[in-house]
Amino acid sequence: MEALAVRLSGFDPYVDGALRIVTFYDTLMRRRVDLPALARASAGLAECVTGIRLHGTGRVTRVSPHGTEPTAAPAPASSEAPVTLDDEEIGTVWLERPGPAGPLDEVVLDRLAIAVAAAVERYGPARTTMADPALVELAISPDGDEAARARALRLLGFAPGPLVAVAVRSSLPLDRAAALCFPGAAVKAAPLAEVGVVLAAAREALPDTAGLPAGFRAGVGAAGSPERSWREARTALRFTTEREPVVRHAGLGALALLAEVPAAALRDNGDVVAVGRIAAGQEELATLDAYCATGSLRRAAELLHLHHSSVARRLDQIAKVLGFDLADPRGVTRARLALASWRLSRD
């Protein structure tokens, strides 16, 4: 293979340059150099400022062609490439070349990215989010023995202590969804069936839900043992809605007991059947949801951006389908339970 590469390089100067770059980085990796050494060597090779950034720590390394810290302010990157480890983007490398990118800059960045990933894996801090699904499943399994669970948590990088589990459904890649759950924190995540598992040391999850993307849903368990927190997180996930995309199990209270009722029993209930008929009309379902959430006609109208008289007319029609008075506090409680049961029965 080496002999073939030498022959090819004689026909194409680009191939010759690319092979020299590959050999250059192979040598650095064999010598097990660290990130600062990689940045210095790359800046000298490319003859321009070279940068390395790790997303997990925010650490940035910039080096001039002279091997020193650049005195000038950072310039726009002429070219850049992602650094990936275990199929997760953990950082970025770039060149700050004045003018257009050079013909071999892409090769330089490709090999530099590979070398950075190897150095991070060797020396740390890797801070990767995605974890081995088998380890995560062992950590949250209710059937595993405590010794195996403790070993799995240790391999995942968690110190002894309470953990918070979050059950996530989202169109986002799971590592990005995990970052939304615990901004700036070290977490571990893995897909389990159709649900994403996110584990973190005990702390408040999802402090701000205003910027969550459409379709994002998360159920949050209480801090404690991972298997119990995961069970609570899955239950909380079942109560999420478009209006309330994040539900904490601790906030459900007695409502969590509904999740223990078999779905068939829920579907057979007369009130749940009536809510199913109401759900055939999206406007009516949204109105019932808003009214149950607020307990007030006027506040429901504000939530729906409608005049209160329009909401009143809808609620009159909904009450006829339900068969009980929504103006009665007991009727509101009954409607809330029926609406929650209807959603649970569809899982």
Side-chain angles (χ1 to χ4, degrees):
M1 180 64 73
E2 290 183 2
L4 175 61
V6 170
R7 288 200 298 273
L8 286 173
S9 67
F11 289 106
D12 190 337
Y14 176 87
V15 173
D16 181 53
L19 288 173
R20 291 178 186 274
I21 292 170
V22 170
T23 302
F24 176 81
Y25 280 103
D26 283 350
T27 301
L28 292 176
M29 292 170 68
R30 281 197 300 271
R31 293 176 179 173
R32 300 187 175 187
V33 300
D34 58 12
L35 293 183
L38 276 173
R40 287 194 299 271
S42 300
L45 175 68
E47 298 182 332
C48 68
V49 173
T50 300
I52 300 171
R53 178 187 295 109
L54 297 181
H55 298 330
T57 62
R59 175 181 173 185
V60 176
T61 303
R62 289 178 68 242
V63 180
S64 73
H66 307 295
T68 59
E69 184 176 345
T71 56
S78 56
S79 52
E80 60 182 354
V83 179
T84 59
L85 180 63
D86 296 333
D87 297 324
E88 180 183 343
E89 184 176 324
I90 63 167
T92 308
V93 293
W94 70 92
L95 300 177
E96 298 176 20
R97 188 182 300 285
L104 290 169
D105 284 1
E106 184 177 353
V107 181
V108 171
L109 289 177
D110 178 67
R111 301 308 297 182
L112 174 58
I114 293 172
V116 167
V120 169
E121 188 172 31
R122 183 178 298 115
Y123 299 115
R127 293 286 296 272
T128 54
T129 298
M130 300 306 293
D132 182 348
L135 282 178
V136 172
E137 188 168 7
L138 185 58
I140 62 176
S141 173
D143 302 321
D145 65 83
E146 291 308 310
R149 190 189 319 282
R151 181 175 181 275
L153 291 171
R154 188 169 61 252
L155 290 173
L156 289 170
F158 291 112
L163 297 179
V164 171
V166 180
V168 177
R169 283 200 182 100
S170 174
S171 59
L172 293 175
L174 186 53
D175 60 317
R176 290 177 57 194
L180 290 176
C181 294
F182 298 94
V187 301
K188 290 298 179 183
L192 186 64
E194 297 181 358
V195 180
V197 184
V198 182
L199 293 175
R203 59 173 292 171
E204 182 71 9
L206 292 153
D208 181 15
T209 61
L212 294 178
F216 184 95
R217 300 285 187 275
V220 185
S225 61
E227 73 279 11
R228 178 175 179 175
S229 187
W230 172 242
R231 182 175 68 251
E232 293 176 348
R234 284 186 303 165
T235 297
L237 181 65
R238 297 179 64 191
F239 285 87
T240 58
T241 65
E242 182 178 351
R243 182 183 53 78
E244 192 175 8
V246 178
V247 172
R248 291 170 173 79
H249 187 272
L252 289 173
L255 278 176
L257 296 174
L258 286 177
E260 306 297 326
V261 180
L266 293 174
R267 286 192 290 268
D268 285 342
N269 181 269
D271 287 355
V272 175
V273 172
V275 170
R277 291 198 296 269
I278 293 167
Q282 290 300 312
E283 291 182 350
E284 288 76 11
L285 181 62
T287 302
L288 179 61
D289 179 60
Y291 184 67
C292 287
T294 62
S296 163
L297 189 153
R298 290 189 177 275
R299 283 187 300 199
E302 291 174 1
L303 197 63
L304 295 168
H305 305 291
L306 294 171
H307 193 274
H308 65 87
S309 61
S310 299
V311 175
R313 283 193 296 272
R314 287 185 186 179
L315 289 175
D316 285 342
Q317 294 301 315
I318 290 170
K320 290 177 181 178
V321 177
L322 290 174
F324 52 82
D325 186 5
L326 288 174
D328 186 331
R330 288 177 297 179
V332 177
T333 300
R334 187 171 164 182
R336 285 171 176 161
L337 288 172
L339 183 59
S341 298
W342 173 76
R343 286 176 172 140
L344 291 172
S345 71
R346 300 170 70 217
D347 284 356

